Amino acid sequence: MSEQQTERPEPRTGHRVVVVGAGMAGVQTAVALREQGFTGPVTLIGAEPHQPYDRPPLSKAVLLGKAEDSAFDIDFEALGIELQLGRDVTGVRAGAHELDTLAGPVPYDALVIATGAEPVVLPGSEGVPGVHLLRTLDDAARLRPVLGEQHTVVVVGAGWIGAEFATAARTAGCEVTVVEAADRPLAGVLPAEVAAPMTRWYAEGGVELLTGTRVERVEPGRVILADGRTLAAGAVVVGIGARPATGWLAGSGIALGPDGSVTADDALRTSLPDVYAVGDCASFPSARYGSRLLVHHWDNALQGPRTAAANIIAAGAAGTPPPPAYDPVPYFWSEQFGRFVQYAGHHADADTRLWRGDPGDPDWSVLWLRDGAPVAVLAVGRPRDLAQGRRLIESGARIDPVRAADPAVPLKSTTRQ
């Protein structure tokens, strides 16, 4: 046996990996296992009957009828990945290394939890005709004819999904009102000074935005506000947040955080042996930011699976070194009201905020620093700022704040020598 073979032993071929959740995180975990040389059985279980698909296009191309679906272009059969679709998993019995499903138990040697997040339902709206969520392909299919008929639409929630849906509805010719309980859009995500400029995007896009306004109740064809006003609504779309889809783990012994997320470690292992968690349902400790992060965005569902797959392989092959700790710079983007918005990092503990450009202009960005080093960047129509700012965050480099505040100076040129 050569020295190279000694350093890289093959994982056990009979070691069976089962992935629960057929969204981006689950699919990428299964694919990463194959890409990294795992040859044992891989089973991907999804609750929906559809071929696994990507979610971001649901609020854009699929919703507007520009695409029928957003199925992943992956040949699962060629990769030797067994798909079990339309199958609900109801529990985990860790002692037996088995999953409980309505169709019977499923054994595993290593388990990956990738069940994502589920939308928060507006209290009292369950079962009311004309009320919609936008999370699944079926949700988009139900909403597409609503837009086609140009109904009057009320959107509850001015977060990312609310803004994206309002944009799509206006593009389809609908009359749109967005109702937000907070005093501004993205109140739970961005500081007031940064979110404030986004308020006028709604009016510029032909959307009425009602902030500081709560919904009292929803009735067929109308929304009753807490201040007594009534809004006509051919359709109501609720976008008031999402929470980890982990209720099915009750009694499993898998530790959950106060937010309902699976509390994974920096190898994306859970509190139980041979069980991992990735994507929107899992939080992880970040040494970079000194806190536990729960990231409900596409990029996390793309990156985390590579770490989980590498750790599964390392655990199943004696002598294989574990991969580096999982500690990414979180990243996401949003397309709304003709603008491309990107964010990277985590600004909660920043001590300095720098504006690059005038937020009244079409293109601008914001940079957050801690102890002179960038920790987050928000870019509106300035993708170069995002790309360069993200690299600075990853490197931990300190920068010259005076130069960094000049939008004409590339961020990569602002590092201190």
Side-chain angles (χ1 to χ4, degrees):
M1 183 176 291
S2 70
E3 181 179 354
Q4 183 179 13
Q5 289 173 319
T6 302
E7 292 176 353
R8 298 187 61 187
E10 288 295 319
R12 298 193 303 271
T13 56
H15 200 66
R16 179 178 184 181
V17 180
V18 176
V19 183
V20 182
M24 169 62 82
V27 166
Q28 290 301 321
T29 300
V31 171
L33 284 165
R34 292 300 188 226
E35 289 179 342
Q36 295 179 32
F38 182 76
T39 57
V42 176
T43 300
L44 182 63
I45 302 177
E48 294 182 57
H50 309 291
Q51 190 76 0
Y53 61 88
D54 202 4
R55 294 189 187 278
L58 296 183
S59 61
K60 305 172 184 71
V62 175
L63 188 61
L64 291 172
K66 297 178 180 178
E68 285 302 312
D69 59 39
S70 54
F72 292 111
D73 185 17
I74 296 171
D75 190 335
F76 293 98
E77 184 177 358
L79 289 173
I81 297 170
E82 178 191 3
L83 294 181
Q84 295 187 12
L85 304 177
R87 188 171 191 178
D88 285 311
V89 178
T90 57
V92 180
R93 285 179 289 111
H97 269 57
E98 284 186 342
L99 295 171
D100 288 325
T101 80
L102 298 179
V106 177
Y108 67 84
D109 293 302
L111 172 65
V112 182
I113 300 168
T115 43
E118 56 194 6
V120 175
V121 177
L122 182 68
S125 68
E126 299 95 328
V128 178
V131 177
H132 301 265
L133 300 169
L134 182 52
R135 182 70 182 175
T136 69
L137 185 60
D138 289 338
D139 292 337
R142 284 188 288 266
L143 273 167
R144 192 157 56 186
V146 171
L147 300 193
E149 295 166 11
Q150 299 185 341
H151 282 283
T152 298
V153 177
V154 173
V155 180
V156 182
W160 300 115
I161 192 65
E164 290 185 358
F165 178 81
T167 300
R170 282 299 299 146
T171 300
C174 298
E175 181 180 334
V176 182
T177 301
V178 176
V179 180
E180 170 56 52
D183 61 356
R184 63 188 185 277
L186 298 168
V189 180
L190 295 174
E193 296 82 357
V194 178
M198 300 177 178
T199 301
R200 61 175 169 271
W201 296 357
Y202 288 77
E204 292 171 1
V207 173
E208 183 178 9
L209 173 64
L210 304 178
T211 57
T213 305
R214 294 188 176 275
V215 173
E216 177 68 26
R217 66 184 184 277
V218 179
E219 300 176 351
R222 63 179 187 167
V223 174
I224 313 301
L225 303 180
D227 60 13
R229 284 179 291 174
T230 299
L231 304 177
V236 178
V237 177
V238 179
I240 55 175
R243 57 189 167 215
T246 55
W248 64 283
L249 295 173
S252 67
I254 296 173
L256 304 180
D259 54 12
S261 67
V262 178
T263 52
D265 64 12
D266 61 10
L268 299 180
R269 296 172 299 211
T270 74
S271 59
L272 293 184
D274 306 317
V275 182
Y276 302 76
V278 294
D280 292 3
C281 67
S283 61
F284 56 90
S286 171
R288 186 192 310 276
Y289 292 108
S291 63
R292 177 167 288 275
L293 301 183
L294 174 60
V295 181
H296 282 183
H297 294 298
W298 186 90
D299 191 63
N300 178 52
L302 177 66
Q303 293 194 62
R306 299 167 187 158
T307 294
N311 278 295
I312 289 170
I313 292 172
T320 301
Y326 185 63
D327 196 4
V329 174
Y331 166 75
F332 73 90
W333 77 95
S334 176
E335 296 176 83
Q336 52 184 270
F337 306 115
R339 294 169 172 85
F340 186 47
V341 184
Q342 296 172 282
Y343 177 94
H346 182 65
H347 65 267
D349 295 325
D351 53 40
T352 303
R353 183 170 61 240
L354 303 176
W355 290 86
R356 286 173 57 82
D358 186 338
D361 293 337
D363 305 330
W364 50 276
S365 61
V366 179
L367 190 67
W368 285 269
L369 311 180
R370 185 180 62 218
D371 297 330
V375 292
V377 58
L378 172 76
V380 177
R382 292 179 68 96
R384 186 171 298 176
D385 276 7
L386 188 288
Q388 295 181 10
R390 189 178 186 183
R391 285 194 288 270
L392 290 174
I393 297 168
E394 290 171 342
S395 71
R398 294 178 180 273
I399 64 170
D400 180 340
V402 175
R403 287 177 55 77
D406 183 347
V409 176
L411 282 176
K412 65 181 181 181
S413 302
T414 64
T415 55
R416 291 186 182 277
Q417 301 300 319

